[in-house]
Structures are given as structure tokens and as C-alpha cells.
Amino acid sequence: MVLVCGPAGAGKSTHARRLADDGYAVLSFDAEAWRRGLRDHPVDAEDAATVHAHLQRELLRHVAAGDRVVVDSSFWSRSSRDAYRDLLRPHGVEPVVHLLDTPREVVLERLAARRHRGPDDVVVPRERAEAYLDGFQVPTPDEGPLVVLDGRDRGGVVE
């Protein structure tokens, strides 16, 4: 069970697709939001809670089936990561956080190239992108299992 973590533009969805190629089921916040017609960032708090509730139900369904699963979301705050840990703990599952460590300039360049063509291409204005980067709470090993990935090549292991 993997939580893919990083700001918009870090390469999370690309990494999640790689995991899908290895047999993981992918649950994507952006894909579910897009499916629901939510096209702008940030998604308002009520809609975000609805999307996360859906992902969590699907996650528990996959866990009960014994599937390998990855949740693709920013997990920008420790509390957002802890909410998923707390959900999984009673089921004996400890998620591994995969942090996409991508330099700020690379993230901003990727976001500037977006054209709003799909859930992995949502336009994020520069001011919003900078706020996301500035507010991002980097996970640390004291939270639980952590793998740091080099987001420049969209998923190479750093540590």
C-alpha cells in the first residue's frame, strides 16, 4: 500500500502509472475530481472531503481483496497522510509514503506547460503553485515508512 506524495507537478501520477504497470490498483484524487466535474484548483474543502471519502472506501475495498494499491494525491500535510494511516491501521496495513522530491523550478516549469486537457493536466496558476510549494509539509521517517524518489526523472529512487 503506497501513498504517492508531492506537490502538483512533482510527477506523482507518472509514478503511480509505473506502479500500475507492476500490478498496483491506482486511486487518484485528481482523476476522481475530474470525473466529478471538478476542474479547478484548489478543489473546495467540501468537494475534497467527498473525493477523499470515495478514495478511502475504494482503498478499503482493495485492502479487503488483498490488492496492492497506490493512492495518488498530494498528501501535502502530515494530517492528510495520518488520516490514511489511521484508516488502514485497524486492517493491519502500514502504508509506505513515496515522496516525489522535485526541484521547485522543475515543478513550476511543468505546471506552466499544462493545458487543462485532463486530470493530470489541470492548470495551476503560478501564484497558486508557489503557495502549494511553500505550504507543503515534507514527510519525515518518524511518520512511518518513507521512500524518497527523484521527481526530475519522474520516479528514480534517491534514498
Side-chain angles (χ1 to χ4, degrees):
M1 156 67 291
V2 173
L3 303 179
V4 179
C5 173
K12 296 180 305 296
S13 296
T14 299
H15 180 62
R17 283 190 292 275
R18 285 182 179 165
L19 292 174
D21 291 344
D22 289 335
Y24 282 77
V26 176
L27 301 175
S28 166
F29 181 92
D30 289 340
E32 182 60 24
W34 188 271
R35 188 186 72 74
R36 293 169 182 261
L38 305 170
R39 302 288 195 259
D40 298 316
H41 278 263
V43 173
D44 75 54
E46 185 176 325
D47 287 332
T50 300
V51 171
H52 277 294
H54 171 80
L55 294 179
Q56 290 174 351
R57 284 190 304 274
E58 287 298 301
L59 174 59
L60 291 178
R61 185 178 65 75
H62 281 288
V63 165
D67 299 336
R68 297 188 311 165
V69 63
V70 55
V71 180
D72 173 10
S73 186
S74 68
F75 292 108
W76 71 271
S77 68
R78 181 173 183 157
S79 64
S80 66
R81 297 183 295 271
D82 284 346
Y84 277 75
R85 288 185 186 100
D86 292 345
L87 175 74
L88 293 165
R89 189 170 294 113
H91 302 277
V93 176
E94 183 173 26
V96 177
V97 170
H98 285 194
L99 170 65
L100 273 289
D101 183 21
T102 309
R104 183 182 193 96
E105 62 276 6
V106 173
V107 167
L108 293 173
E109 180 180 300
R110 288 178 184 167
L111 293 176
R114 288 187 174 184
R115 297 294 173 253
H116 218 71
R117 294 175 294 226
D120 300 332
D121 194 45
V122 173
V123 171
V124 179
R126 185 176 181 96
E127 305 80 42
R128 171 64 54 197
E130 289 175 345
Y132 285 166
L133 289 162
D134 293 342
F136 189 79
Q137 296 174 4
V138 177
T140 59
D142 70 298
E143 293 181 33
L146 174 65
V147 175
V148 179
L149 303 160
D150 185 343
R152 289 173 296 189
D153 74 357
R154 298 186 186 247
V157 175
V158 173
E159 300 176 0

